[in-house]
Amino acid sequence: MTNHWADIKNANVIIVMGGNPAEAHPCGFKWVTEAKAHNKARLIVVDPRFTRTAAVADQFVQIRPGTDIAFLGGVMNYLLSNDAIQHDYVKAYTNASFIVRADFTFDDGLFSGYDEAGRKYDKASWTYELGPDGFAKVDPTLQDPRCVYQLLKKHYSRYTPEMVSSITGAKQEEFLQVCKTIASTAPADRTMTSLYALGWTQHSVGSQNIRSMAMIQLLLGNMGMAGGGVNALRGHSNIQGLTDLGVLSDLLPGYLTIPKETDKDLDAYLAPRTLKPLRPGQMSYWQNYPKFFVSLQKAWWGEAATKENQFAYEYLPKLDKLYDLLAVFDLMHQGKVNGYICQGFNPLASAPNKAKVIDGLSKLKFLVVIDPLVTETSTFWRNAGEFNPVEPSKIETEVFRLPSTCFAEEDGSLTNSSRWLQWHFKGAEPPGEAKTDLEIVGELFGRIRRLYAKEGGTFPDPIVKLTWPYAIASAPSAEEVAREYNGWALADLPDPKDKTKILVKRGDQLTTFGQLTDDGSTAAGCWIYTGSYTDKNNMARRETADPSGLGLAPAWAWAWPLNRRVLYNAASCDPTGKPWDPRRTLVKWNGEKWVGADVPDFKVDQPPESGMAPFIMNPEGVGRLFGADKMAEGPFPEHYEPFESPLARNPMHEKPVASTNPAARIYAEDKAALGTAEHFPYAATTYRLTEHFHFWTKHARIPAVLQPEQFVEIGEALAKEKGIRDGERIKVRSNRGEIVAKAVVTKRIRPLTVAGKTVHTVGIPIHWGFEGLTKPGYLANTLTPFVGDANVQTPEFKAFLVNVEKLGVA
Amino acid sequence: MNLSRRQFLKLTTSGIGATSLGALGFAPDRVLADVRNFKLASTTQTRNTCPYCSVGCGILMYGLGDRSKNARLRLVHIEGDPDHPVNRGTLCPKGASLLDFVNSPHRLKFPEYRAPGSSEWQRVTWEWALDRIARLMKDDRDKNFIAKNAAGVPVNRWTSVGMLAASASSNESGYLTHKVFRAMGMTALDNQARV
Ligand code: SF4
């Protein structure tokens, strides 16, 4: 989240799209109720299903799965053509005035630079005109036809209410009513907050769904404001933490990136990442990239990372291509992966196309599963009848299953979606011989390291020289590891203002990432977490006080970065440093420095008149309405159909290649496994229930009793058409597989008229499998397509095609 | 004024009511939590957070056993932490039934091994399992590690063994996992954030 859970209470309008917090995040949703009860907030829900969030909404609009960008593009068109934007904010804090290069074009669904064979763009033209001073050219009057504001207006003028209605299936009047409510937050003293979750990410255009809302929030001046922001509700309890720590195939901790093989040495790696300001006087905080990176290398390789050896740059792997989950399961399917470790992760249930995943796992030499519970992945070789029809004797994979502790049996921190790192304490002994993940990783690493020390082997250096400053080598403690990602001084650090003084003594914990250096005198394993564990464990703080009344709870736990509760909060002030809305004062300029209830997201002694803008991470200093070269499929979000669409072509484009996301990767076999509307006429989406958490709570008795049996949700109209009665068993097929489940016939899903055609939507909850205390069921990913978002490869679980067949009463 | 639970209880039982304390401007820590403490007086209370969703609700866990050496801590009750600024004591159906996760009959208790072609598990020791996994990993890395690409540029990557890390495990576990497996040159390292 840019903001945080309790901040929702400050909003005037709450839009929930791509999420269902009343059911999936119930205790966070109370802040929506709070906003409605005490702030007269209006709640808008736009979703393919009438969810329980929708049930308490002031307005609900049903749309076809996978058409969010069409809807949001229409909202932008409305805001721009009705001049319902916050002008001063847009001028000062966005790139609306920036001049875009003359050769940047958009034509029939494709931006300039498309390479159809490679399914990717040459993004050279997706940038600003630079002046002779090297800075981007701007037109503060916003009149230049090549300025972002004018290009934006032109791009979204195509998203007329007629077009929105035709693509999404929403009625024009409903859509316009939503636009009006959203537009009501353009004044400086009104805000809208946006809440989304996997209903936006699990699409081939997932990242652009989110960007569309970020653009709307910039146009309305809602970024950085209390009660504003773009708020990812997220999924697992520590999904935020694992993302922050960069445990992803292309990341390093703190949103640093893994080198590519074209980054031949440290300088070549750092240069394109050390972003210089694109406008005069801007902070461009990524200028400090080398400090974050060198401190990470020092944390990992200590004295073996020296200036002479480029701080052990060689020790890191260099990427030739992406190794994301989809790519890896495809490699597994090709027999190119030998071993796989699943730590608290059940990919057989959560990766798309179960048949392909089974095939991949069966080709492994060994699989290691570390989990507190039985998972389907660990028993993928077990014949569970119709639910897992495999032949164990034909599966040659060696499988190890290692019991790990659960939350109650260990110490540590989890980062919630508010970016709060909250420490928890062990309160029970683990069952049997279960060990903590720290111990399992520690023990395994110790063994591998000893083998390398004894036998030698391929490139042992990064393994044998890895820092291991833990009192018990086989079982690092949570505190020791937390101190390491926070970081410490490796030498006395002088005060930059007075070099005769020592700011941090050698060996002391750092208190801010401002203290990090690129000369090897600091170590910090995750720079954005610096400050979490100083001379004390700030993550364990429990002060409930909220002096501002804005719900910040500034001394409860610790929020990254630097305990800041609202990101971009300097944008909550006008260009003179005065809050846009005094009732929402997070920070302000007091004439000498930035002060306030929140930690200012700005250089603390930088006067606002200096012209430094509040989006300090961007080289432009401002928020991006034009995304430049940051996204795979274009600087402006564009509506592309899901890879499986009930429409034969995208109503917005003639070119077939621009029907679906032209920059999304799809492997030939998976393309061949896509179904067409002719055979699979119904739009489908997966979803979660409030009683279950993924494939996990089916092992806990009460949730298993509450939702004991697999079902599929269909609307009354479709049920009638097919002669299906409520509670009857039905077969749901996609081009990749089929499942059998009880039909739950509801009023919650209506048929929509899309491009002149009637489209039914089928809802598929995901929680059952062939392990658990519930009745056995089919893994829902038996149905889902193996294609992902063009930027981050998140699978398209929220829009695909199925057919539904009547089976007869069970 | 900072009051611990015990001090607060003493104060309140000695005649000063919680409301009058509040009126005096004293805001004792964990007032609400303390009221609940009576029924669980003989248990040990531990603060934790719900491991399911990203709301991160605060919970209080009550266990039998007083943390002395031979007493085995066993949880008997879990409830919402009334002081928590987000959930304020509430829990959803998942969080409210956390005890059933801790005590699930499907908790794994011992390392197990399934041999190629077999249709059953056999119980093994940690020593045996970890030794064998370490051996399999090292042998594969030694054999398949890519030190240089076709152009002779050092790339030091290991692509033939991959890992999915747990996004419901702690930051400390995530950090250590990343450090260890990246140091081996592993590229196929992801977590649930990808799906
Ligand atoms: S109790 Fe419910 S809402 Fe709270 S963290 Fe757990 S799953 Fe999420």
Side-chain angles (χ1 to χ4, degrees):
Chain A
M1 291 188 180
T2 57
N3 295 39
H4 57 98
W5 281 109
D7 180 67
I8 298 168
K9 73 171 180 167
N10 300 316
N12 302 103
V13 173
I14 298 153
I15 182 158
V16 178
M17 256 180 108
N20 176 17
E23 291 176 81
H25 306 85
C27 298
F29 188 72
K30 70 154 51 63
W31 297 100
V32 175
T33 314
E34 190 82 12
K36 280 171 66 78
H38 297 297
N39 209 24
K40 297 198 183 79
R42 285 183 70 80
L43 170 64
I44 305 169
V45 174
V46 181
D47 201 280
R49 297 184 304 124
F50 183 82
T51 60
R52 287 186 170 88
T53 308
V56 293
D58 297 283
Q59 198 190 355
F60 166 68
V61 180
Q62 189 185 325
I63 59 168
R64 172 169 66 97
T67 61
D68 303 71
I69 292 174
F71 195 94
L72 297 172
V75 172
M76 281 194 260
N77 184 30
Y78 179 94
L79 298 177
L80 291 163
S81 46
N82 290 283
D83 206 25
I85 62 173
Q86 192 188 331
H87 288 271
D88 295 340
Y89 187 106
V90 169
K91 269 191 195 161
Y93 297 159
T94 76
N95 65 0
S97 62
F98 285 49
I99 310 293
V100 173
R101 245 168 73 159
D103 52 349
F104 167 75
T105 60
F106 175 78
D107 177 37
D108 194 24
L110 294 176
F111 294 92
S112 38
Y114 190 58
D115 157 17
E116 188 164 346
R119 290 189 63 79
K120 61 182 191 322
Y121 281 98
D122 169 359
K123 303 181 193 173
S125 63
W126 303 4
T127 186
Y128 313 116
E129 288 282 355
L130 298 186
D133 53 3
F135 290 125
K137 287 191 194 166
V138 298
D139 171 22
T141 70
L142 308 185
Q143 295 309 308
D144 189 308
R146 295 298 299 170
C147 82
V148 167
Y149 179 73
Q150 296 296 341
L151 293 177
L152 182 78
K153 254 181 124 159
K154 188 169 156 219
H155 189 87
Y156 290 104
S157 64
R158 302 175 301 125
Y159 289 71
T160 59
E162 298 75 34
M163 185 59 95
V164 170
S165 174
S166 160
I167 293 174
T168 66
K171 294 195 185 70
Q172 283 190 48
E173 317 80 75
E174 300 177 320
F175 163 72
L176 288 169
Q177 183 56 46
V178 170
C179 290
K180 245 192 216 153
T181 309
I182 292 176
S184 78
T185 66
D189 63 350
R190 281 178 59 83
T191 60
M192 172 172 82
T193 183
S194 147
L195 310 180
Y196 75 92
L198 285 85
W200 263 1
T201 60
Q202 291 179 332
H203 289 278
S204 50
V205 291
S207 307
Q208 294 282 28
N209 283 336
I210 300 153
R211 232 190 87 68
S212 306
M213 182 52 78
M215 292 161 70
I216 289 172
Q217 291 292 60
L218 284 173
L219 289 171
L220 296 166
N222 287 334
M223 294 306 286
M225 298 288 289
V230 176
N231 295 304
L233 307 179
R234 310 223 59 171
H236 284 71
S237 54
N238 203 29
I239 199 96
Q240 185 64 50
L242 272 269
T243 310
D244 299 339
L245 292 162
V247 196
L248 288 157
S249 45
D250 52 348
L251 290 185
L252 289 169
Y255 301 96
L256 307 181
T257 50
I258 297 265
K260 298 199 171 102
E261 59 182 13
T262 45
D263 301 320
K264 289 202 170 65
D265 54 27
L266 182 60
D267 288 341
Y269 168 74
L270 291 176
R273 292 163 171 90
T274 309
L275 300 172
K276 296 276 171 308
L278 267 172
R279 289 290 300 157
Q282 299 310 314
M283 195 168 202
S284 192
Y285 204 74
W286 282 117
Q287 285 189 91
N288 297 298
Y289 195 102
K291 299 175 187 171
F292 312 148
F293 179 74
V294 171
S295 299
L296 167 65
Q297 296 291 98
K298 292 299 289 182
W300 283 5
W301 286 294
E303 284 171 8
T306 63
K307 212 175 164 77
E308 293 65 46
N309 75 357
Q310 305 187 25
F311 295 105
Y313 176 70
E314 200 193 353
Y315 289 3
L316 286 174
K318 313 294 182 295
L319 296 176
D320 54 336
K321 59 181 181 202
L322 290 172
Y323 289 89
D324 57 276
L325 177 136
L326 293 185
V328 171
F329 272 97
D330 189 66
L331 288 171
M332 216 183 273
H333 168 68
Q334 295 174 44
K336 291 184 179 159
V337 181
N338 301 320
Y340 209 53
I341 308 172
C342 298
Q343 176 199 55
F345 198 133
N346 189 4
L348 181 60
S350 49
N353 193 357
K354 184 196 167 215
K356 184 165 177 171
V357 179
I358 285 274
D359 177 72
L361 295 174
S362 306
K363 285 176 177 157
L364 290 172
K365 289 202 182 95
F366 66 97
L367 170 71
V368 181
V369 177
I370 305 167
D371 212 284
L373 291 164
V374 173
T375 63
E376 279 83 2
T377 301
S378 72
T379 56
F380 79 94
W381 45 268
R382 181 170 83 80
N383 183 305
E386 59 184 305
F387 306 113
N388 199 45
V390 296
E391 263 191 67
S393 62
K394 293 209 174 126
I395 296 175
E396 291 295 308
T397 312
E398 268 187 70
V399 187
F400 300 83
R401 187 158 75 175
L402 308 178
S404 63
T405 51
C406 76
F407 70 102
E409 297 144 6
E410 63 195 24
D411 295 337
S413 69
L414 305 179
T415 307
N416 76 354
S417 41
S418 301
R419 292 169 287 103
W420 295 2
L421 284 75
Q422 305 191 95
W423 196 264
H424 62 266
F425 298 88
K426 173 175 171 173
E429 294 302 331
E433 296 177 3
K435 289 180 193 279
T436 64
D437 285 321
L438 285 173
E439 222 177 327
I440 297 170
V441 170
E443 292 238 14
L444 182 61
F445 178 69
R447 279 171 168 78
I448 294 173
R449 198 214 288 260
R450 286 194 292 276
L451 286 178
Y452 273 98
K454 201 168 108 202
E455 304 170 357
T458 308
F459 200 41
D461 293 21
I463 296 175
V464 294
K465 291 181 179 162
L466 193 69
T467 61
W468 207 257
Y470 315 119
I472 303 171
S474 61
S477 77
E479 282 83 2
E480 285 172 314
V481 176
R483 273 186 227 119
E484 177 175 326
Y485 62 62
N486 177 90
W488 51 68
L490 296 168
D492 288 344
L493 300 181
D495 185 342
K497 289 196 186 104
D498 177 359
K499 301 259 174 185
T500 62
K501 288 204 187 104
I502 301 294
L503 200 64
V504 187
K505 283 215 307 282
R506 178 165 185 266
D508 280 0
Q509 291 294 108
L510 302 172
T511 54
T512 147
F513 47 69
Q515 294 159 346
L516 297 175
T517 64
D518 58 6
D519 63 3
S521 58
T522 55
C526 182
W527 70 277
I528 58 173
Y529 280 5
T530 302
S532 61
Y533 204 120
T534 53
D535 54 340
K536 61 183 192 318
N537 182 351
N538 296 311
M539 300 173 273
R541 298 186 307 166
R542 276 177 69 82
E543 292 288 325
T544 54
D546 179 32
S548 68
L550 292 170
L552 300 173
W556 181 276
W558 184 87
W560 74 263
L562 303 177
N563 200 33
R564 186 171 293 134
R565 305 284 158 149
V566 176
L567 295 180
Y568 317 117
N569 60 29
S572 70
C573 292
D574 67 19
T576 70
K578 221 169 74 235
W580 293 109
D581 177 3
R583 290 172 313 147
R584 297 173 208 266
T585 302
L586 291 167
V587 297
K588 63 180 178 210
W589 174 253
N590 73 0
E592 275 170 28
K593 56 179 196 244
W594 288 87
V595 294
D598 199 7
V599 178
D601 198 351
F602 211 61
K603 194 161 172 285
V604 77
D605 56 357
Q606 182 79 18
E609 311 76 74
S610 69
M612 187 186 275
F615 291 87
I616 58 171
M617 300 309 288
N618 290 350
E620 298 95 322
V622 294
R624 296 188 189 109
L625 293 168
F626 174 81
D629 60 356
K630 304 297 172 205
M631 307 294 280
E633 60 283 86
F636 293 130
E638 174 69 3
H639 169 69
Y640 296 109
E641 285 291 321
F643 271 75
E644 286 189 336
S645 163
L647 304 185
R649 94 178 168 80
N650 187 330
M652 298 197 74
H653 313 138
E654 294 290 337
K655 274 194 208 82
V657 69
S659 199
T660 53
N661 188 337
R665 176 193 71 195
I666 183 160
Y667 301 113
E669 251 179 73
D670 302 312
K671 196 170 174 192
L674 293 175
T676 60
E678 192 194 333
H679 299 107
F680 303 95
Y682 310 123
T685 181
T686 61
Y687 68 89
R688 294 214 279 120
L689 303 173
T690 202
E691 295 84 359
H692 277 304
F693 195 79
H694 295 281
F695 314 98
W696 185 356
T697 47
K698 62 178 155 67
H699 298 286
R701 196 172 38 96
I702 291 175
V705 169
L706 292 175
Q707 288 289 0
E709 186 175 6
Q710 184 162 33
F711 68 87
V712 167
E713 180 174 358
I714 59 172
E716 286 177 343
L718 178 59
K720 193 161 172 224
E721 213 172 271
K722 293 268 175 178
I724 294 169
R725 277 171 305 136
D726 195 27
E728 185 176 335
R729 274 155 58 82
I730 56 170
K731 185 182 273 185
V732 181
R733 291 191 300 122
S734 79
N735 206 28
R736 293 157 294 275
E738 58 187 46
I739 67 172
V740 175
K742 278 204 167 152
V744 168
V745 178
T746 72
K747 294 185 195 306
R748 309 199 304 177
I749 306 178
R750 288 184 295 115
L752 296 171
T753 306
V754 176
K757 179 179 164 183
T758 302
V759 175
H760 295 278
T761 298
V762 176
I764 303 170
I766 60 170
H767 302 290
W768 299 271
F770 58 87
E771 300 288 0
L773 298 171
T774 54
K775 282 195 186 174
Y778 289 83
L779 291 168
N781 64 341
T782 303
L783 302 170
T784 51
F786 203 91
V787 61
D789 169 76
N791 296 278
V792 296
Q793 318 301 331
T794 298
E796 191 152 62
F797 289 148
K798 293 293 186 266
F800 56 100
L801 292 179
V802 295
N803 203 348
V804 170
E805 281 166 30
K806 189 177 160 74
L807 266 190
V809 184
Chain B
M1 183 167 177
N2 236 344
L3 293 177
S4 75
R5 175 184 323 118
R6 193 152 293 139
Q7 287 167 319
F8 181 64
L9 284 177
K10 270 197 184 141
L11 268 174
T12 47
T13 48
S14 67
I16 312 172
T19 41
S20 54
L21 263 182
L24 290 170
F26 299 139
D29 290 349
R30 306 183 284 267
V31 176
L32 295 166
D34 286 316
V35 176
R36 308 306 291 272
N37 208 28
F38 290 116
K39 77 174 180 209
L40 295 160
S42 60
T43 57
T44 303
Q45 186 201 65
T46 313
R47 300 188 314 252
N48 208 302
T49 53
C50 174
Y52 291 132
C53 95
S54 45
V55 176
C57 293
I59 57 173
L60 300 176
M61 309 191 300
Y62 296 89
L64 294 178
D66 57 1
R67 294 184 196 279
S68 60
K69 193 132 178 78
N70 296 316
R72 197 179 161 81
L73 264 180
R74 188 173 64 82
L75 295 183
V76 292
H77 179 67
I78 294 178
E79 65 184 29
D81 179 349
D83 288 335
H84 195 278
V86 176
N87 65 304
R88 293 189 167 175
T90 62
L91 292 175
C92 81
K94 299 174 282 281
S97 58
L98 271 172
L99 197 59
D100 279 357
F101 162 34
V102 178
N103 296 329
S104 168
H106 292 178
R107 285 292 301 271
L108 303 177
K109 296 190 178 66
F110 310 101
E112 288 157 300
Y113 176 73
R114 181 260 177 192
S118 167
S119 51
E120 57 197 40
W121 289 111
Q122 66 193 83
R123 184 172 163 185
V124 295
T125 64
W126 275 104
E127 289 295 308
W128 184 86
L130 290 169
D131 281 347
R132 176 142 182 92
I133 297 165
R135 172 50 68 198
L136 285 166
M137 288 180 72
K138 177 169 190 286
D139 288 355
D140 189 85
R141 185 176 180 275
D142 284 349
K143 191 163 153 220
N144 297 314
F145 190 80
I146 303 167
K148 291 198 164 112
N149 67 8
V153 178
V155 295
N156 293 326
R157 59 177 177 252
W158 181 28
T159 64
S160 52
V161 171
M163 174 161 189
L164 294 170
S167 61
S169 194
S170 66
N171 285 320
E172 296 69 36
S173 140
Y175 173 79
L176 199 75
T177 297
H178 194 174
K179 177 177 172 178
V180 158
F181 292 96
R182 201 69 87 189
M184 294 183 199
M186 189 182 277
T187 53
L189 179 59
D190 258 333
N191 77 79
Q192 279 98 343
R194 191 67 78 184
V195 295

